[in-house]
Amino acid sequence: MKLLNAMPVVESTGAVHCPICTRTVEARIITRSRRAEVKPGQKCPRCGSSLDAAAVLRFDRAA
């Protein structure tokens, strides 16, 4: 049986690319180990579409 390290989930604000209005907007981003993704259930502040499929562009945090 292999034990897995449970990495803590870090949540902060970053810039994402909205796939509908093609603008860069601020959204909450969560990271698990090295992977950054948009927190599910958020809406774009400009067009109101879902940001679940948005690409993370900038995620500022200390190394």
Side-chain angles (χ1 to χ4, degrees), residues 14-27:
V16 300
H17 179 76
C18 177
I20 302 300
C21 65
T22 66
R23 302 285 183 153
T24 302
V25 295
E26 295 291 318

Side-chain angles (χ1 to χ4, degrees), residues 8 10-11 16-17 21 27 33 37 39 41 43 47 56 59:
V10 179
E11 183 177 334
V16 300
H17 179 76
C21 65
S33 70
E37 58 189 26
K39 186 174 181 181
K43 300 280 184 182
C47 66
V56 176
F59 179 55

Side-chain angles (χ1 to χ4, degrees), residues 4 6-9 11 13 17-18 21-22 26 28 30-31 34 36 39-40 44 48 50 52-53 60-61:
L4 298 175
M7 296 295 293
V9 175
E11 183 177 334
T13 305
H17 179 76
C18 177
C21 65
T22 66
E26 295 291 318
R28 298 296 294 173
I30 57 174
T31 58
R34 294 183 180 195
K39 186 174 181 181
C44 176
S50 175
D52 290 345
D60 298 329
R61 72 171 191 179

